[in-house]
């Protein structure tokens, strides 16, 4: 029996890696594939670090160029832009519901996202798994650090609303179904690296949310840092270059 029949997963990895390398040379990402219940678009393949890029509540399209540039700067890494539950990337939809982009950081959606990240980790061998997530993606990532300990090695969480009740009280609309990351700090492993980044002028997920989250993480002995980006707001456009630099530094460390 041939090797690719005996080991279909290994054959899939080799085939996908070869195609991804070709597409990256052409400057074109692969079409989306499913990672368990979650769709993702592969922007480059390398054996060192697996990087998952997660978008905010407005959808995945705005963060595509970031994933592409991150892959180009880090050719030894695999970069996958994922569609969070209920969203689509490159025509493929992740399972779950985004509930009209409201109150959707639920236990069910967080579990689906964890399954997707785990499936990506099985499909693409790596030495370290890094998640770069913006806004709602950061909220879900921060929850997974505690609810699925050890799934993620480094979390770079940008513009994150880490205390959901506090954030929604300021916004005037409660989100009772959403899991709040700050509740799961005690369950995060000490070896997990936590990097929170927020624009100085962010009027949506205000810097105090991340600052207080990191302070509480540090008080528990966790490896957590907080960085404010001067003259930046909530829009990822104003955060893109600093976050590219931060992510590249972590990937190459």
């Amino acid at each position: 029996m041939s090797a690719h029949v005996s080991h279909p997963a290994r054959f899939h990895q080799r085939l996908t890696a070869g195609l991804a390398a070709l597409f990256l040379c052409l400057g074109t990402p692969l079409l989306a594939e499913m990672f368990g219940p979650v769709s993702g678009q592969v922007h480059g393949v390398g054996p060192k670090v697996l990087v998952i890029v997660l978008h905010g509540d407005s959808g995945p399209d705005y963060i595509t160029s970031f994933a592409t540039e991150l892959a180009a700067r880090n050719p030894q890494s695999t970069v996958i832009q994922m569609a969070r539950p209920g969203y689509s990337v490159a025509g493929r939809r992740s399972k779950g519901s985004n509930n009209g982009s409201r109150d959707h950081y639920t236990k069910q959606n967080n579990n689906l996202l964890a399954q997707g990240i785990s499936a990506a980790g099985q499909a693409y061998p790596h030495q370290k798994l890094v998640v770069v997530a913006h806004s709602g993606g950061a909220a879900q990532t921060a929850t997974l650090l505690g609810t699925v300990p050890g799934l993620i090695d480094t979390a770079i969480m940008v513009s994150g609303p880490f205390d959901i009740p506090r954030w929604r009280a300021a916004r005037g609309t409660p989100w009772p179904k959403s899991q709040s990351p700050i509740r799961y700090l005690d369950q995060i492993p000490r070896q997990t690296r936590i990097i929170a980044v927020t624009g100085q002028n962010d009027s949506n997920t205000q810097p105090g949310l991340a600052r207080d989250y990191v302070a509480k993480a540090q008080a528990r002995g966790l490896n957590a840092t907080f960085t404010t980006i001067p003259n930046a707001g909530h829009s990822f456009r104003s955060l893109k270059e600093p976050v590219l630099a931060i992510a590249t530094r972590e990937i190459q460390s």
Side-chain angles (χ1 to χ4, degrees), residues 106-118:
T106 61
K107 182 177 181 179
Q108 179 183 8
N109 280 343
N110 289 337
N111 286 342
L112 289 171
L113 182 59
Q115 292 171 35
I117 294 173
S118 178

Side-chain angles (χ1 to χ4, degrees), residues 2 23 25 30 38 58 60 63 83 91 93 97 153-154 171 177 215 221:
S2 65
F23 274 74
C25 289
L30 285 176
V38 177
S58 62
I63 212 164
R93 187 175 184 86
S97 170
D153 296 308
T154 300
R171 303 291 290 175
K177 296 179 182 178

